[in-house]
């Protein structure tokens, strides 16, 4: 008979699952654009010096390290996640391939690497967190930011409000606060209305603060995306209540027709309607910018100018546009145009395949297994598509919103085969 003497373990032991939750929270917080830009802001409200911007770029490094370190224990699940969404893999490969025809190869390479690093976090979130867990994680990141923003508005109004009176809270611009508040509002709202999740109390605690920040920011993109998300929430909830496939198919067709008609009306009558209301018919300079961008797209429509290379300071066409509009636009302020500008029709078509596939699979999962929390990933994807009408956040590296959008898409494609009666491979833990 042999005796086995175990070595005593000194100090607290931390479960790996706890490290995953903490690591994911830290990574999302670093991508949120909160606090650090606010602290590095110059004497003028919303101003960031070149030195401050350089420091902020370094925040991406710990995000990459956290994601890569946590994914290192899940190589087989990562392979499955990649294989189950090959269109997403093609979309990630395009920025690297565009180095071959980019007008700024070094810029494209550097930003493509940043995109790949950000996507590691998206894969981690999709693999290791169920939809309900990811919802809780995002609220745990954004909820405190909403409360801190309100406190900053009261304690430091000189630094937490822009010159036009719009609030930016602990962020560096009203739009960033508005987008974060919009996302937090939508998730908290779904927590309240979707009783199967059992998160009503959390939603009721977070929702008032996020609504205050959303309204105070006066971000039209944020308000528009929340309005769209509310409509999509009602649509998906009604869709899940239908038991006949033909009824679901009709509802989807009606939604597509409604969207097509709405976009047509906006393109024809938005400008005159804004003028009649005394608002800026140029959408804060976006309309003339879009006209000039469309001319550039027409010159290289198939492959574009290279991933995120057009708006570099070495491009003479960008300087000509800046000279005409009178301000240095950092991007096209439209995600669809920006994709065409960087990756051409090829890139936009691949993006369309990724989104269409996610919308279809996500709707199936929500209708068949609403108890799994598939409502919010579906709404998030639709909300993200709306946000890109006036902002350019498709394929954006080191960005909270694209990271979560990609995580939602990957989570759907990852679990679709098993929830549809395929393999029994399990992802995510309690």
């Amino acid at each position: 008979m042999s005796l086995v003497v175990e070595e005593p373990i000194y100090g607290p032991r931390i479960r790996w699952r706890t490290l995953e939750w903490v690591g994911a929270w830290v990574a999302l917080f670093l991508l949120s654009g909160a606090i650090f830009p606010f602290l590095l802001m110059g004497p003028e409200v919303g101003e960031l010096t070149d030195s401050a911007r350089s420091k902020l770029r370094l925040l991406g490094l710990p995000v990459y390290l956290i994601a890569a370190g946590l994914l290192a224990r899940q190589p087989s699940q990562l392979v499955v996640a990649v294989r189950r969404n090959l269109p997403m893999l093609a979309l990630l490969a395009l920025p690297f391939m565009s180095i071959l025809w980019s007008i700024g190869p070094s810029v494209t390479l550097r930003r493509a690497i940043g995109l790949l690093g950000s996507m590691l976090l998206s894969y981690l979130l999709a693999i290791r967190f169920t939809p309900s867990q990811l919802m809780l994680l995002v609220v745990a990141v954004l909820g405190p930011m909403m409360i801190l923003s309100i406190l900053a508005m009261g304690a430091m109004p000189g630094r937490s409000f822009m010159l036009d009176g719009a609030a930016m809270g602990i962020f560096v611009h009203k739009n960033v606060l508005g987008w974060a508040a919009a996302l937090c509002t939508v998730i908290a709202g779904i927590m309240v209305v979707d009783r199967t999740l059992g998160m009503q109390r959390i939603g009721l605690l977070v929702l008032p603060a996020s609504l205050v920040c959303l309204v105070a920011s006066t971000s039209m993109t944020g308000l528009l995306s929340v309005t769209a998300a509310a409509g999509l929430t009602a649509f998906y909830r009604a869709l899940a209540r239908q038991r006949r496939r033909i009824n679901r198919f009709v509802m989807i067709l009606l939604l597509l027709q409604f969207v097509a008609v709405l976009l047509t009306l906006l393109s024809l009558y938005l400008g005159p309607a804004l003028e009649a209301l005394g608002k800026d018919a140029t959408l804060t300079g976006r309309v003339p910018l879009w006209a000039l961008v469309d001319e550039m797209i027409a010159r290289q429509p198939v492959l574009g100018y290279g991933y995120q290379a057009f708006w570099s300071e070495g491009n003479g066409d960008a300087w000509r546009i800046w000279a005409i509009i009178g301000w240095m636009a950092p991007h096209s302020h439209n995600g669809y145009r920006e994709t065409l500008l960087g990756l051409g029709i090829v890139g936009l078509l691949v993006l369309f395949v990724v989104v269409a596939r996610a919308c279809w699979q996500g709707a199936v999962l929500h209708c068949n297994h609403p108890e799994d929390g598939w409502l919010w990933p579906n709404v998030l994807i639709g909300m993200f598509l709306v946000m890109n009408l006036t902002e350019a956040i498709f394929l954006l590296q080191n960005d909270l919103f694209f990271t979560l959008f990609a995580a939602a898409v990957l989570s759907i494609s990852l679990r679709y085969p098993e929830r549809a009666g395929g393999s029994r491979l399990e992802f995510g833990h309690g």
Side-chain angles (χ1 to χ4, degrees):
M1 180 177 180
S2 61
L3 296 176
V4 178
V5 180
E6 294 185 356
E7 291 288 336
I9 298 175
Y10 301 99
R13 289 181 292 178
I14 301 177
R15 296 175 56 199
W16 183 260
R17 185 57 180 159
T18 302
L19 288 177
E20 288 179 333
W21 276 90
V22 173
W25 188 95
V26 171
L28 290 176
F29 168 72
L30 293 176
L31 292 183
S32 67
I35 297 183
F36 291 106
F38 180 78
L39 294 176
L40 293 174
M41 188 169 54
E44 293 187 12
V45 176
E47 177 192 27
L48 287 175
T49 64
D50 292 338
S51 175
R53 294 180 188 277
S54 298
K55 293 177 182 177
L56 291 174
R57 293 190 191 102
L58 296 177
L59 294 178
L61 296 178
V63 175
Y64 309 155
L65 293 175
I66 290 171
L70 294 176
L71 275 176
R73 286 174 59 105
Q74 315 297 331
S76 60
Q77 292 184 351
L78 177 59
V79 171
V80 173
V82 172
R83 291 177 58 186
R84 289 188 178 179
N85 202 326
L86 294 179
M88 178 65 83
L89 179 63
L91 188 62
L92 294 179
L94 273 176
F96 288 94
M97 295 172 60
S98 71
I99 296 172
L100 300 174
W101 63 82
S102 174
I103 60 174
S106 61
V107 174
T108 295
L109 175 61
R110 183 174 68 252
R111 295 179 178 177
I113 293 173
L115 175 64
L116 180 61
S118 301
M119 284 299 300
L120 290 177
L121 180 58
S122 296
Y123 277 101
L124 174 69
L125 297 175
I127 292 171
R128 301 301 297 162
F129 294 86
T130 65
S132 298
Q133 290 170 346
L134 184 54
M135 171 186 286
L136 187 61
L137 177 64
V138 175
V139 165
V141 174
L142 295 180
M145 294 179 187
M146 299 299 103
I147 297 173
L148 288 175
S149 291
I150 294 175
L151 293 176
M153 294 176 206
M156 298 180 291
R159 287 183 61 85
S160 56
F161 284 88
M162 301 191 69
L163 297 179
D164 61 359
M168 62 182 189
I170 59 172
F171 298 83
V172 77
H173 196 276
K174 65 176 184 179
N175 286 339
V176 185
L177 172 63
W179 303 342
L183 181 58
C184 195
T185 297
V186 170
I187 297 178
I190 291 177
M191 284 181 168
V192 172
V193 301
D194 191 351
R195 297 186 177 182
T196 62
L197 299 174
M199 301 182 186
Q200 290 94 337
R201 292 183 179 179
I202 298 175
L204 289 172
L205 286 174
V206 176
L207 186 59
S210 58
L211 281 172
V212 169
C213 291
L214 176 64
V215 174
S217 72
T218 69
S219 169
M220 292 306 299
T221 299
L223 292 170
L224 178 63
S225 61
V226 167
T227 302
L232 286 170
T233 300
F235 168 78
Y236 279 110
R237 285 170 60 83
L239 188 68
R241 288 194 293 267
Q242 303 299 321
R243 295 300 173 219
R244 300 179 60 186
R245 291 185 179 182
I246 185 63
N247 292 345
R248 293 174 178 175
F249 183 70
V250 170
M251 286 188 63
I252 292 172
L253 285 181
L254 290 175
L255 175 66
L256 294 176
Q257 292 176 14
F258 172 77
V259 171
V261 171
L262 180 62
L263 291 176
T264 302
L265 292 176
L266 287 175
S267 64
L268 293 175
Y269 302 111
L270 180 59
L274 290 174
E275 288 182 350
L277 294 172
K279 303 293 184 179
D280 184 4
T282 69
L283 297 177
T284 323
R286 287 176 172 84
V287 174
L289 172 63
W290 291 341
L292 296 169
V293 168
D294 289 344
E295 293 179 7
M296 294 296 105
I297 292 172
R299 293 185 184 181
Q300 298 194 41
V302 179
L303 295 175
Y305 295 84
Y307 173 68
Q308 293 197 6
F310 185 86
W311 300 105
S312 57
E313 295 185 359
N315 182 19
D317 289 329
W319 280 105
R320 280 189 285 274
I321 291 178
W322 291 333
I324 293 172
I325 63 176
W327 55 289
M328 293 186 68
H331 46 68
S332 304
H333 280 280
N334 181 284
Y336 306 94
R337 284 182 169 89
E338 191 67 20
T339 302
L340 285 168
L341 201 61
L343 301 173
I345 295 174
V346 173
L348 190 63
L349 287 176
V350 176
L351 177 63
F352 173 79
V353 172
V354 170
V355 172
R357 187 170 181 263
C359 289
W360 177 261
Q361 292 182 342
V364 172
L365 287 173
H366 171 64
C367 289
N368 294 342
H369 303 281
E371 71 282 358
D372 289 350
W374 291 109
L375 175 59
W376 94 272
N378 282 283
V379 173
L380 174 65
I381 291 171
M383 178 183 178
F384 191 78
L385 296 177
V386 172
M387 292 181 73
N388 274 278
L389 293 173
T390 54
E391 297 296 337
I393 45 181
F394 279 134
L395 291 172
L396 188 59
Q397 75 278 12
N398 302 334
D399 180 77
L400 174 68
F401 302 96
F402 180 73
T403 299
L404 291 176
F405 164 79
V409 170
L410 291 169
S411 182
I412 289 170
S413 62
L414 184 61
R415 292 169 176 82
Y416 180 79
E418 66 201 47
R419 298 302 284 159
S423 65
R424 300 296 301 170
L425 188 62
E426 296 294 334
F427 297 88
H429 295 271

